[in-house]
Amino acid sequence: MGMALSFYNTLTRRKEEFTPLYPPLLRGDRGGSGKVRMYTCGPTVYNYAHIGNLRSYIFADVLRRTLEYFGYEVPQVMNVTDVGHLTSDADTGEDKMELEARKEGRDIWQIARFYEQAFFEDIEKLNIEPPAIKCRATEHVPEMIALVGKLVERGHAYQTDQAVYFDVTTFPTYTDLSRQSLEDKLTAARDEVQEDPGKRSPADFALWFKAVGRFEHHVMRWDSPWGVGFPGWHIECSAMSMKYLGDTLDIHTGGEDHIWVHHPNVVAQSEGATGRKFVRFWMHGAFLVVSSLGRDLKSRPNEESEDAADDRRMGKSEGNFLRLGTLIDKGYDPLAYRYLCYSAHYRAKLRFTWESMDAAASGYKNLQDFAARAKQIGGDEQPWVAEHRRKFEDAIADDLNMPQAMAAVNELIREAERRGEYGVLDALYSFDKVLGLNLRESAERATSVDARIEGLIKEREQARADKNWARADEIRKQLSEQGIALEDTPSGTLWRRTG
Ligand SMILES: [Zn+2]
Ligand SMILES: [Zn+2]
């Protein structure tokens, strides 16, 4: 029996054994049947996602796939933020969506749908399983208004001329998740431009913005008990997660930047309204970091000096970003980027360089080639494979340790080659349920040949048997021109598609 499934919980700053809130009746070592209620903070659709954002969705996908590997059902909910996210995560600045619509001179709804579609195309290319439910903020405004109403009713919220705010002093555990003292937060907030003199404390945050003052011309707007306006960014995640998953979620995932503002606000809103625990496990993915080696990463004019680019977090607001489409244009398989993400633990920063991207592409190619070889050679699984399965499972069960899981995969491959025993595809394909690298599809594609090609390969084998080397070479050349590579081994001629 292996060890339990354990995840690092940002709330307790510890690795904890994971079981879902509603445990199944029957359990295996690490799971069994049962539902894990999981919410993933989705994209703000004002621009393309950059590969740093996408890393965070790869992390959430690996988490979900790991839970599924151990037998859980995961009804995952992901929001699409199409209103209310200001250029600062706090209440200052402009709505990112409205700003982009003005910049591009396009209709705001068009912008929202366009970038939403681009996002879901990207995650499909990365073989990220689509969430069971994806929900747009703009389609849940009534739920948000109801939640704000409840907070006002329970004394957690108040309104000014400009907005409705959450009063953080009414929620004593406000700083539990961020572990940033309220005094520090207040000091930081005081340095910001205060745009509403009616706000009781600079640490309070907006639940609803009225279409007045700086938001007088806000295009997206709805009626509410507090006047026409639009919801603040944070309220959508409380309203939608509780609508689809209930008051208490098993897991909530997001980028590590959400630990200090967004997520504490979401907790305050949800627990303030229900009086129940909101999230049992908070899990956060670390950033992708761009080093100065990748100066040509910046697909947009960069506002900073050339040598200040070292170790900058990749963020849209930094004007310093690389899209999945850029990698594809440069000839990389999107799944090679997925493979690259496994080179670091999800809680560790990952430094992106073109060298590491190349290394990942060739590592992925080797893995695909191995799967194609193993498929052609075949064989039954031998008892020694079990130990590698256990190592792989131990790695993913231990807070999704993907570098260690990949080490287990590579050990399995080395041992198969050393022993000349290739009955490892069942193991590899079951690992791939978590890895999501489409190994079965690529092995099948690489080894599928049509009858004409198969005939040529047979003819060449006969020519070799007859020592007719000229004909054998001619056929090899002909096949190579058609993108078929041959390899003569003691167990016969192997082939694979190279293109
Ligand atoms: Zn979140
Ligand atoms: Zn969120």
Side-chain angles (χ1 to χ4, degrees):
M1 180 166 144
M3 58 189 203
L5 197 48
S6 73
F7 299 135
Y8 182 87
N9 188 349
T10 310
L11 186 61
T12 57
R13 305 301 198 261
R14 274 202 316 265
K15 248 192 248 180
E16 292 174 47
E17 183 173 340
F18 176 81
T19 50
L21 181 60
Y22 301 105
L25 295 173
L26 291 166
R27 291 182 60 201
D29 288 357
R30 287 159 169 144
S33 58
K35 274 194 180 141
V36 176
R37 286 144 223 265
M38 172 171 164
Y39 184 85
T40 297
C41 259
T44 301
V45 287
Y46 71 107
N47 208 324
Y48 293 106
H50 57 67
I51 59 171
N53 302 133
L54 294 171
R55 181 188 180 204
S56 142
Y57 297 103
I58 291 172
F59 142 63
D61 189 55
V62 169
L63 169 60
R64 173 180 167 171
R65 287 167 174 269
T66 296
L67 290 162
E68 287 169 346
Y69 184 95
F70 290 119
Y72 292 111
E73 243 183 278
V74 187
Q76 182 192 12
V77 175
M78 188 194 285
N79 63 305
V80 172
T81 300
D82 51 2
V83 65
H85 194 171
L86 304 191
T87 46
S88 127
D89 279 357
D91 297 336
T92 54
E94 283 192 79
D95 187 314
K96 291 182 178 186
M97 301 289 310
E98 305 245 335
L99 185 65
E100 188 64 25
R102 270 208 315 284
K103 256 185 359 205
E104 296 190 24
R106 287 160 77 187
D107 175 76
I108 191 163
W109 295 96
Q110 248 183 346
I111 294 273
R113 300 301 173 256
F114 177 84
Y115 289 119
E116 176 187 319
Q117 197 190 335
F119 172 79
F120 283 104
E121 282 169 11
D122 279 353
I123 70 165
E124 194 186 334
K125 285 181 191 136
L126 288 167
N127 208 16
I128 291 171
E129 293 177 352
I133 292 172
K134 46 186 179 190
C135 39
R136 294 174 178 148
T138 52
E139 289 169 1
H140 294 77
V141 175
E143 287 88 342
M144 295 185 227
I145 289 173
L147 193 58
V148 175
K150 215 178 212 175
L151 290 169
V152 172
E153 209 180 275
R154 297 185 69 148
H156 287 299
Y158 61 94
Q159 67 167 315
T160 69
D161 294 340
Q162 296 185 26
V164 180
Y165 293 103
F166 190 98
D167 179 345
V168 298
T169 62
T170 65
F171 190 71
T173 53
Y174 182 60
T175 57
D176 280 8
L177 181 61
S178 66
R179 303 210 174 173
Q180 185 187 27
S181 76
L182 204 50
E183 289 71 46
D184 286 352
K185 217 176 148 61
L186 284 172
T187 313
R190 271 192 205 100
D191 294 338
E192 288 173 17
V193 189
Q194 291 308 314
E195 312 205 21
D196 185 352
K199 206 170 168 178
R200 287 182 198 160
S201 156
D204 293 350
F205 59 92
L207 302 168
W208 184 263
F209 289 107
K210 302 183 184 183
V212 296
R214 67 185 156 132
F215 295 127
E216 194 185 335
H217 302 292
H218 206 270
V219 176
M220 289 183 168
R221 50 175 65 204
W222 292 265
D223 276 328
S224 86
W226 316 282
V228 173
F230 63 97
W233 170 41
H234 315 291
I235 195 73
E236 68 176 81
C237 284
S238 289
M240 296 194 283
S241 60
M242 294 197 294
K243 170 175 177 167
Y244 294 108
L245 296 169
D247 292 351
T248 302
L249 323 182
D250 288 305
I251 303 176
H252 186 130
T253 73
E256 63 180 354
D257 51 331
H258 290 166
I259 297 172
W260 297 280
V261 180
H262 183 49
H263 285 160
N265 292 357
V266 175
V267 174
Q269 294 166 158
S270 299
E271 298 189 356
T274 67
R276 287 193 201 96
K277 186 166 183 84
F278 175 49
V279 170
R280 300 172 59 242
F281 279 74
W282 282 100
M283 294 178 69
H284 293 97
F287 287 139
L288 188 75
V289 166
V290 185
S291 92
S292 57
L293 287 174
R295 208 186 297 152
D296 59 329
L297 288 188
K298 289 146 208 136
S299 54
R300 315 191 128 192
N302 189 11
E303 72 265 35
E304 58 184 316
S305 70
E306 286 179 359
D307 44 355
D310 226 18
D311 280 6
R312 300 275 302 185
R313 146 198 178 203
M314 190 179 284
K316 285 176 211 168
S317 38
E318 267 78 39
N320 170 7
F321 78 90
L322 180 62
R323 292 166 42 196
L324 188 63
T326 322
L327 297 185
I328 296 169
D329 290 346
K330 285 181 181 276
Y332 294 104
D333 186 325
L335 296 185
Y337 178 64
R338 197 174 163 113
Y339 186 99
L340 172 67
C341 290
Y342 298 155
S343 64
H345 191 274
Y346 76 88
R347 285 190 285 115
K349 294 205 187 333
L350 174 59
R351 181 164 293 121
F352 181 91
T353 62
W354 291 111
E355 287 79 0
S356 61
M357 189 62 225
D358 285 338
S362 76
Y364 180 41
K365 184 76 177 44
N366 290 342
L367 183 55
Q368 289 177 305
D369 287 349
F370 173 83
R373 261 169 83 80
K375 183 167 173 0
Q376 286 191 292
I377 297 170
D380 293 330
E381 183 167 316
Q382 302 302 314
W384 60 265
V385 176
E387 192 203 329
H388 296 279
R389 281 186 189 265
R390 191 185 49 75
K391 280 186 180 165
F392 180 85
E393 290 178 2
D394 282 351
I396 57 173
D398 178 17
D399 194 31
L400 316 176
N401 191 334
M402 298 314 285
Q404 206 176 302
M406 291 311 291
V409 171
N410 288 321
E411 270 173 41
L412 172 80
I413 290 176
R414 275 198 302 276
E415 181 145 11
E417 305 217 313
R418 190 173 60 76
R419 291 174 179 255
E421 292 172 1
Y422 288 86
V424 297
L425 272 190
D426 278 355
L428 212 51
Y429 290 166
S430 82
F431 299 167
D432 200 37
K433 286 183 194 157
V434 173
L435 300 175
L437 294 171
N438 277 349
L439 295 178
R440 183 193 297 270
E441 292 76 356
S442 82
E444 275 165 12
R445 198 172 49 238
T447 56
S448 77
V449 284
D450 58 36
R452 191 183 51 83
I453 290 170
E454 206 149 50
L456 281 171
I457 289 168
K458 286 228 174 71
E459 192 191 330
R460 179 173 168 276
E461 274 174 352
Q462 189 55 52
R464 278 164 55 84
D466 299 343
K467 302 203 187 322
N468 182 354
W469 308 116
R471 177 65 187 143
D473 280 352
E474 196 178 279
I475 293 173
R476 173 191 282 277
K477 193 163 164 261
Q478 195 182 340
L479 286 171
S480 150
E481 279 160 6
Q482 294 171 41
I484 305 287
L486 300 180
E487 186 186 349
D488 296 311
T489 74
S491 38
T493 300
L494 306 179
W495 63 85
R496 66 172 188 272
R497 287 190 194 280
T498 54

